[in-house]
Amino acid sequence: MEWILIILGIFLFLFTILMFSTLNVALHFVHRNDNSDIQITLRMYRIIRYTLHIPIVQIDAEDHSVKIKEEKQTSMGQKKEKKKKISFKKLKNQYESFQKTLKHVQNLYRILAYFLKKIKVSQLEWHSAIGLGEASSSAVAAGTVWGIKGIVLQLINTFFRLKGTPSISVVPVFQGMHSETRLSCMVSFKIGHAIVVMLKILKSWRNSRRSSHVNSEYMTGGV
């Protein structure tokens, strides 16, 4: 009996630490003409570290699919590589499936808005260069990109907790066609907040399914 209490106490202690732990997600995205590269690093307590590296290696023009190669690395130094092919049709099917799931979750946007406000975005850097072959077209394109970045920053500041002053730039390239973007930021949130949100979504989904089942029985006369 004492061993059971000790084990339960250890699990409770670890769960409490997890609830109050902060997960830091470092995002680095680089795009230059036809090449793109994404690196996501998860870190907690500067000890637990997991890195996901996704270079986009090829774009298939026939089926509009993107071939990527995932490179995973843990804090223990273990590396794994895996190749994937993501097509537009696959993304569309996943989106439709996600939309069906959302119909069963009541107050989803209110729950997500609560969680997003708990997320801190810091060290935001977003630098771009664009050229369309002509000076006038490149200048107009650079102005358009500036406007888009302004809208995105306003949305981030509205839905998230934006910390610090973002470093933003757009450079027009007047010699030839050119497209380049470098984006990096740090996203931090309490794991406990994420767990609470998942529990709220699960509860709302169950209540919606139960209500839908009751209404269905009522309409069919309980048969």
Side-chain angles (χ1 to χ4, degrees), residues 114-130:
Y114 163 81
F115 177 61
L116 292 180
K117 269 302 180 182
K118 300 293 183 180
I119 298 178
K120 181 175 68 175
V121 179
S122 59
Q123 303 175 26
L124 177 59
E125 296 185 7
W126 191 4
H127 304 288
S128 304
I130 185 170

Side-chain angles (χ1 to χ4, degrees), residues 10-211:
I10 293 175
F11 275 109
L12 180 61
F13 175 72
L14 294 177
F15 180 75
T16 303
I17 292 178
L18 183 65
M19 287 290 291
F20 290 95
S21 299
T22 300
L23 180 64
N24 299 300
V25 182
L27 171 65
H28 298 278
F29 172 75
V30 178
H31 167 77
R32 184 179 177 86
N33 295 326
D34 295 331
N35 299 317
S36 298
D37 189 273
I38 303 173
Q39 181 170 310
I40 302 173
T41 302
L42 309 179
R43 190 176 69 249
M44 188 169 62
Y45 292 120
R46 299 185 180 180
I47 301 176
I48 303 175
R49 184 174 180 144
Y50 180 85
T51 300
L52 177 62
H53 183 215
I54 310 176
I56 299 178
V57 296
Q58 186 178 358
I59 298 178
D60 194 336
E62 294 182 1
D63 58 358
H64 304 286
S65 63
V66 179
K67 297 180 180 179
I68 63 176
K69 180 176 67 174
E70 292 185 0
E71 299 176 359
K72 303 178 182 178
Q73 183 175 0
T74 65
S75 56
M76 303 299 293
Q78 298 176 339
K79 290 185 178 181
K80 293 182 179 180
E81 291 187 2
K82 182 170 60 174
K83 292 184 179 181
K84 287 184 177 181
K85 185 176 181 180
I86 301 177
S87 63
F88 175 77
K89 183 178 180 180
K90 184 177 180 180
L91 291 176
K92 182 181 178 181
N93 292 336
Q94 291 180 349
Y95 175 76
E96 291 176 352
S97 177
F98 181 68
Q99 286 290 98
K100 292 179 181 179
T101 303
L102 293 185
K103 293 180 180 179
H104 295 289
V105 181
Q106 299 174 347
N107 302 320
L108 175 66
Y109 296 104
R110 181 178 58 83
I111 296 174
L112 289 180
Y114 163 81
F115 177 61
L116 292 180
K117 269 302 180 182
K118 300 293 183 180
I119 298 178
K120 181 175 68 175
V121 179
S122 59
Q123 303 175 26
L124 177 59
E125 296 185 7
W126 191 4
H127 304 288
S128 304
I130 185 170
L132 298 181
E134 297 180 357
S136 58
S137 300
S138 299
V140 172
T144 302
V145 173
W146 264 117
I148 294 173
K149 288 190 176 186
I151 295 174
V152 172
L153 288 179
Q154 189 174 12
L155 291 174
I156 292 176
N157 193 38
T158 300
F159 293 102
F160 301 88
R161 293 166 53 199
L162 182 60
K163 299 294 182 179
T165 302
S167 178
I168 308 294
S169 69
V170 179
V171 178
V173 178
F174 301 116
Q175 294 82 21
M177 303 289 292
H178 185 74
S179 174
E180 182 177 354
T181 294
R182 296 179 181 271
L183 172 66
S184 65
C185 66
M186 177 71 70
V187 179
S188 307
F189 59 89
K190 297 287 185 181
I191 296 180
H193 291 153
I195 294 176
V196 170
V197 167
M198 287 189 293
L199 291 176
K200 286 183 177 180
I201 292 176
L202 180 60
K203 180 181 178 181
S204 178
W205 181 77
R206 285 184 174 180
N207 291 338
S208 178
R209 290 293 297 270
R210 188 180 298 113
S211 176

